[in-house]
Amino acid sequence: FNALLKTLEEPPASVVFILATTEPQKIPATIHSRCQRYDFRRLSVEETAAYLAEVAQGSDIDADEGALKLIAARSDGGMRDALSLLDQCSLSDDKVTEETVRMLLGLVGREGIRPLAQALGEADVPGVLRTMRQLMAQGRDVKQVLDELAAYLRAVLFQLTVPDFAEIELTDDREKLAEIGRQFTPERLMGITKRLHD
């Protein structure tokens, strides 16, 4: 930072420095005071999916809308990650579908997580254990299963409390989420999610 500060104090006339960081709190105040700061936000799932659709069309990649939304959701607002994932998916299959994306990322998907959430809702311990055993037999990673279960239960909680929240549809059909949601209270869902994260 000392070397950078010296350069910023006496910059060459023909040079513009652009400093980019995801941790602005680590930049000393002496550097901050010599910079113009612009904060960028993460891209929304809709923005990312729309751009991916343009890229797919321009690159002759046959991709489902659902697959593009899943890629957008998994890239967590990062366009570079989304484009990289789209490229990988297009190389592994002629048509990029949700299943292609799930396979590439090692995701369990709603078909595997829904029965697990259902069994949890019914407090069916043998059913939970049986479903987990089946997922493990398919080679699924336990941490991935728990991450996806937590995300699924979060969507069920949103369905119970904020049913018009758009991103719910990325997890499962609203009807399915509502059906499973009838077995839970918001407090119970929050308690289970906390345990999953722990």
Side-chain angles (χ1 to χ4, degrees):
F1 281 123
N2 288 336
L4 178 59
L5 182 59
K6 181 70 177 164
T7 306
L8 291 176
E9 283 174 339
E10 301 169 13
S14 60
V15 175
V16 174
F17 291 99
I18 299 175
L19 312 174
T21 182
T22 55
E23 298 178 321
Q25 72 280 1
K26 291 187 177 178
I27 306 295
T30 51
I31 303 284
H32 270 291
S33 67
R34 289 166 172 79
C35 297
Q36 290 181 340
R37 180 170 168 169
Y38 300 95
D39 289 316
F40 295 94
R41 64 173 177 80
R42 292 184 181 276
L43 294 166
S44 71
V45 171
E46 291 76 22
E47 290 169 325
T48 305
Y51 186 70
L52 289 175
E54 287 179 36
V55 170
Q57 187 175 20
S59 304
D60 291 327
I61 297 172
D62 188 9
D64 288 349
E65 182 183 344
L68 298 178
K69 282 187 176 178
L70 184 56
I71 291 171
R74 296 305 294 190
S75 66
D76 195 27
M79 186 58 75
R80 181 185 57 199
D81 292 344
L83 290 170
S84 174
L85 186 52
L86 175 63
D87 186 45
Q88 290 174 33
C89 289
S90 70
L91 294 174
S92 66
D93 216 336
D94 292 337
K95 183 177 177 73
V96 179
T97 62
E98 286 184 56
E99 187 57 31
T100 311
V101 179
R102 282 195 199 106
M103 291 285 288
L104 190 72
L105 292 174
L107 300 177
V108 178
R110 63 184 71 161
E111 292 78 15
I113 296 299
R114 190 186 301 138
L116 194 53
Q118 182 81 30
L120 265 176
E122 296 168 354
D124 176 12
V125 176
V128 170
L129 295 174
R130 188 170 41 254
T131 305
M132 282 299 288
R133 190 179 321 117
Q134 289 168 354
L135 292 171
M136 298 305 102
Q138 295 168 10
R140 302 299 184 188
D141 178 61
V142 174
K143 185 182 182 317
Q144 182 64 38
V145 172
L146 296 180
D147 285 346
E148 287 187 55
L149 179 59
Y152 193 94
L153 293 178
R154 177 177 172 264
V156 172
L157 178 62
F158 278 134
Q159 178 63 33
L160 284 175
T161 56
V162 194
D164 58 344
F165 185 59
E167 290 186 20
I168 289 175
E169 294 172 358
L170 295 171
T171 306
D172 204 350
D173 301 329
R174 289 181 183 276
E175 299 78 32
K176 297 285 187 189
L177 292 170
E179 181 183 320
I180 290 173
R182 285 192 280 274
Q183 301 170 340
F184 292 97
T185 63
E187 295 75 23
R188 185 172 172 229
L189 279 168
M190 288 189 284
I192 292 171
T193 303
K194 183 183 182 309
R195 285 194 197 118
L196 286 170
H197 285 297
D198 289 345

